[in-house]
Amino acid sequence: MSGATSDESTTTATGGETETRTALKRVVLYAVLVGMAVFYLIPIETGLMTAITDPSTYTGSTPYLPPLEPLVPGTGSFSLEPFGNAFDGLSRGLVNSVILVVPATVLSGLLGSMAAYGLTNVDWRGQVGIYALFIAGIFIPYQAVLVPLTQFWYNVVPLQSMFVPLASFPFVQEYHWKLAALIITHTAYGIPICTLLFRAHYKKLSSEMIEAARLDGASVSTIYRRIVLPLSVPMFAVVFIYQFTQVWNDLLFALTIVQFGDASVVTQELVGIGVSQSGTNFPLRMAAALLAAFPTLIVYILFGDKFAEGVTA
Amino acid sequence: MRKLIARVRDRWSDSDVRTDGGEVSAERSLLRRDSVRSAPFWLPPFLLVGLFVYGAVLWNFVLSLTDFQGLGAPDYGSLDFENYAIAFNGGTPTWSELTVDPVWNSLQNTIILMVVFSVVCLVLGLLLAILVDRNIRYEDTFRTIYLLPMSLSFVVTAKFWLYMYNPQTGLINAAIGLVGIGPVEIVQNPDLKLGAVAFALIWQFSGYAMIVYLAALRGIPTSHFEAARVDGASTVRMYWRVIIPQLRTATVSALVVITVFALKAFDFLFSMYGGYQPGPSADILATRMVREAYANQNWAYGSTIAVILFVMALFIVTPYIYTQYKRGEL
């Protein structure tokens, strides 16, 4: 719990004046907290209010505060049409993002866990250096590798030609090679942060237990499968949530590896949506933004604590 | 590290009770063999990171020494630092008929954005953390709301804030309209651009600073708060004198992460300005780099700007990792 002693406890019977002052302090405290909450919520809230407005009746004098009269379902301007259109506009991106995010998240999480476990067993002095290389990878800006990555995927690795025969299988399209390249890239870039998250966890695992198991003749991989993995389940949740958010939200790798076209992911589709010759369709744009953010928002609202644990590691 | 200290301590302690004898040494050698047996676990991820991260960084550096223009294969035969001269002084490179601008403008914008964004994020985050830490009701709700924008992508944030800043429909202009100032074009105004970008990014990431500080505040023993209370220090004074000095570690780690976020703001600018051209007053190194490589096809020059970005990140991160190592945190 909080380290600060609560203000209530300091009001000993010294008379009404202190109590009023304390009460006033609390009122100010809550006012600031609520004001800040409004600041964080209002862009999302105005987006939502606009997204449920009928585009034909949308005037731009946005109703910011629900439930204003025109926004009552069934009356004039309430409409789910923008969400319907946004879903149509984003559907390709949503499908591709799902194809991308599941393997990339699982692979980077698993490889990060393996790296963290393997390094705890290493008894050389060099292991801190190896680990430092893993950690430094978290902070390397994507820009520093974009040009080589584009060269690599387009001119060095014949991934594209590998997908031509695969395209005879159901569900496999030739353009999926770009998503495969993106999965591998995101996996490699996700390993450092996953390693960091697992490392902190594995250091806390009782080394006596592991060593005892070792001396009883359990092999390194048996210990991993039988002891370490089952104990890592809660940590996997943290890692998966964090990586899912990272990969789902990325635009830069997608822009450079996928460029544009059939393999576009949701962030790419979102950039240009709702802008046409006739002007900007704000309800559609806001609906699309909310729809693209929906998976990460839901995950965050349901598992907020785990997300926080991930970002503060 | 700790194992090493323990071993040294064993050496120097009472020489009759050496722990590296008999049974224990069998265990030692077993664990040493495990170093090799564990290689299948850490080597594959290490090779992936080595290839895609460090290998790519090195290759990028080599590319920055070429004249690569995207056609055919890069010519690795003639390597020179011409692109760096262009990056710092501008001029007409051998690979182009046109003059190419130096990077000073985007470098300056990058640094301004980084400083403003990180300082405001940290101050706001600390303030929120202290408030949330005051034994409030519905703490979880407040925490969740403050951190909510962090789960959004840069693209979504840009969409929301474009709408907020819109002169006709935006809430910001509606608010200043109440004070009697007419609708202001914010997003395309050269004087306000960078501020608008910074403000939206602060909205997205200040919650992160709050969470880091909150974790640090919860780690401070209650006795510190009580001692200050007994001394009769006022609340403000207590935080200023006693608590905040203990948050140095949290500040450093939050600062490192947040400045690197600022370096990565490309996604945000790309969505806010609908492409590679945020205009000179909001152009940062990240956008300049991608524009040079992918829009202007000056691949080698793009690599050069990427090297500059990488070196900046290195300057921020290396001291951090080194201090972590010194404190035995790795």
Side-chain angles (χ1 to χ4, degrees):
Chain A
M1 259 324 283
S2 152
T5 45
S6 83
D7 287 337
E8 279 85 0
S9 67
T10 57
T11 52
T12 41
T14 47
E17 202 184 320
T18 4
E19 268 177 50
T20 344
R21 264 187 53 196
T22 314
L24 194 69
K25 266 190 193 167
R26 296 302 273 181
V27 169
V28 171
L29 172 69
Y30 281 104
V32 174
L33 285 166
V34 171
M36 286 311 293
V38 168
F39 166 67
Y40 286 110
L41 286 178
I42 218 159
I44 303 174
E45 190 265 346
T46 53
L48 182 63
M49 289 300 108
T50 306
I52 52 175
T53 309
D54 188 333
S56 57
T57 58
Y58 174 79
T59 56
S61 57
T62 318
Y64 296 111
L65 299 169
L68 291 178
E69 188 269 324
L71 281 180
V72 181
T75 60
S77 55
F78 176 87
S79 160
L80 286 176
E81 190 194 321
F83 272 104
N85 291 341
F87 193 79
D88 291 344
L90 291 179
S91 57
R92 181 176 72 175
L94 287 167
V95 170
N96 286 330
S97 275
V98 171
I99 295 175
L100 158 71
V101 87
V102 173
T105 304
V106 172
L107 279 174
S108 54
L110 204 58
L111 284 163
S113 157
M114 280 165 52
Y117 169 72
L119 284 175
T120 50
N121 282 342
V122 172
D123 198 29
W124 316 317
R125 281 204 220 163
Q127 64 115 0
V128 171
I130 296 170
Y131 178 64
L133 278 176
F134 270 112
I135 300 302
I138 298 169
F139 300 105
I140 289 174
Y142 289 179
Q143 270 82 4
V145 298
L146 281 184
V147 177
L149 272 182
T150 312
Q151 279 297 299
F152 186 75
W153 290 125
Y154 277 86
N155 299 329
V156 179
V157 176
L159 203 55
Q160 194 170 359
S161 53
M162 282 161 61
F163 269 79
V164 176
L166 286 179
S168 56
F169 285 95
F171 307 119
V172 181
Q173 303 284 337
E174 206 181 311
Y175 66 80
H176 282 165
W177 78 268
K178 291 181 176 178
L179 290 176
L182 205 51
I183 288 167
I184 296 169
T185 308
H186 271 299
T187 300
Y189 263 81
I191 288 171
I193 182 74
C194 296
T195 308
L196 174 87
L197 289 167
F198 279 114
R199 165 103 168 179
H201 187 61
Y202 290 167
K203 273 176 118 176
K204 278 183 274 188
L205 283 182
S206 126
S207 59
E208 283 99 26
M209 188 168 62
I210 305 258
E211 276 172 28
R214 268 312 271 140
L215 293 168
D216 284 349
S219 74
V220 172
S221 53
T222 308
I223 289 176
Y224 182 65
R225 276 201 320 270
R226 291 285 175 78
I227 300 175
V228 178
L229 270 187
L231 288 172
S232 316
V233 171
M235 206 60 216
F236 265 105
V238 172
V239 168
F240 283 166
I241 286 164
Y242 186 82
Q243 262 308 91
F244 168 79
T245 309
Q246 287 288 306
V247 177
W248 183 272
N249 288 343
D250 167 74
L251 172 72
L252 187 51
F253 276 154
L255 271 182
T256 48
I257 291 170
V258 167
Q259 297 173 11
F260 273 105
D262 288 338
S264 292
V265 299
V266 74
T267 43
Q268 285 170 284
E269 299 285 350
L270 181 60
V271 171
I273 205 167
V275 184
S276 62
Q277 299 299 326
S278 54
T280 314
N281 181 342
F282 280 115
L284 172 60
R285 276 179 69 147
M286 291 300 115
L290 283 163
L291 195 60
F294 185 72
T296 51
L297 271 178
I298 284 295
V299 162
Y300 171 72
I301 288 166
L302 291 180
F303 312 103
D305 293 349
K306 296 234 174 261
F307 182 81
E309 210 178 313
V311 293
T312 51
Chain B
M1 202 65 217
R2 222 167 285 143
K3 267 188 194 161
L4 204 77
I5 293 167
R7 224 178 294 162
V8 172
R9 204 175 285 148
D10 283 345
R11 285 285 146 76
W12 289 100
S13 65
D14 201 358
S15 55
D16 293 345
V17 230
R18 289 278 278 273
T19 44
D20 51 358
E23 207 180 313
V24 186
S25 91
E27 193 176 315
R28 269 257 157 271
S29 60
L30 180 68
L31 290 177
R32 190 150 303 152
R33 277 205 306 274
D34 280 353
S35 307
V36 179
R37 288 216 184 89
S38 300
F41 284 90
W42 62 263
L43 212 53
F46 187 67
L47 289 176
L48 255 183
V49 173
L51 177 73
F52 279 93
V53 181
Y54 295 104
V57 165
L58 284 176
W59 187 6
N60 181 72
F61 175 68
V62 174
L63 276 167
S64 76
L65 305 176
T66 66
D67 296 343
F68 187 48
Q69 289 262 282
L71 293 168
D75 174 17
Y76 296 114
S78 58
L79 301 180
D80 55 37
F81 281 87
E82 186 201 18
N83 291 326
Y84 290 86
I86 299 290
F88 293 125
N89 306 319
T92 315
T94 49
W95 41 261
S96 154
E97 277 92 69
L98 306 164
T99 50
V100 176
D101 290 331
V103 297
W104 294 120
N105 174 50
S106 47
L107 183 64
Q108 189 188 339
N109 287 339
T110 305
I111 291 171
I112 293 172
L113 183 67
M114 257 164 73
V115 171
V116 171
F117 169 64
S118 50
V119 168
V120 178
C121 266
L122 290 181
V123 171
L124 191 61
L126 177 59
L127 196 74
L128 287 173
I130 288 174
L131 293 180
V132 169
D133 199 33
R134 303 292 298 167
N135 267 346
I136 55 164
R137 269 181 220 177
Y138 312 116
E139 186 204 303
D140 290 357
T141 312
F142 283 118
R143 256 202 343 243
T144 305
I145 291 172
Y146 297 160
L147 198 63
L148 191 68
M150 185 100 192
S151 68
L152 302 175
S153 69
F154 276 131
V155 185
V156 172
T157 305
K159 286 277 173 280
F160 283 148
W161 281 93
L162 266 176
Y163 191 55
M164 293 287 284
Y165 289 143
N166 186 295
Q168 280 76 46
T169 57
L171 187 61
I172 302 276
N173 272 298
I176 57 178
L178 295 176
V179 198
I181 303 167
V184 181
E185 173 55 62
I186 298 172
V187 177
Q188 296 300 347
N189 182 331
D191 298 334
L192 300 177
K193 263 184 188 182
L194 205 54
V197 169
F199 192 74
L201 291 176
I202 288 161
W203 175 81
Q204 185 164 11
F205 288 111
S206 41
Y208 169 76
M210 174 207 69
I211 282 284
V212 173
Y213 277 129
L214 196 58
L217 281 173
R218 300 273 151 99
I220 295 174
T222 331
S223 57
H224 290 246
F225 287 90
E226 277 159 12
R229 276 255 173 266
V230 171
D231 291 347
S234 70
T235 312
V236 174
R237 211 184 143 86
M238 170 182 81
Y239 274 107
W240 190 249
R241 283 288 169 81
V242 183
I243 306 302
I244 292 180
Q246 297 189 46
L247 298 175
R248 196 176 307 154
T249 324
T251 304
V252 169
S253 57
L255 191 65
V256 168
V257 172
I258 283 177
T259 43
V260 174
F261 271 136
L263 280 178
K264 285 180 175 175
F266 169 87
D267 289 14
F268 181 83
L269 283 149
F270 186 91
S271 339
M272 189 99 157
Y273 292 98
Y276 301 106
Q277 296 279 16
S281 51
D283 201 15
I284 60 173
L285 281 172
T287 44
R288 179 82 201 270
M289 179 267 148
V290 182
R291 186 168 72 245
E292 288 295 351
Y294 292 85
N296 304 344
Q297 299 291 308
N298 298 332
W299 292 87
Y301 194 55
S303 290
T304 310
I305 300 171
V307 171
I308 295 169
L309 258 174
F310 173 73
V311 170
M312 283 175 77
L314 213 60
F315 270 110
I316 298 166
V317 173
T318 314
Y320 172 68
I321 290 192
Y322 184 71
T323 49
Q324 290 284 82
Y325 167 72
K326 276 280 168 226
R327 290 181 34 243
E329 297 269 317
L330 288 187

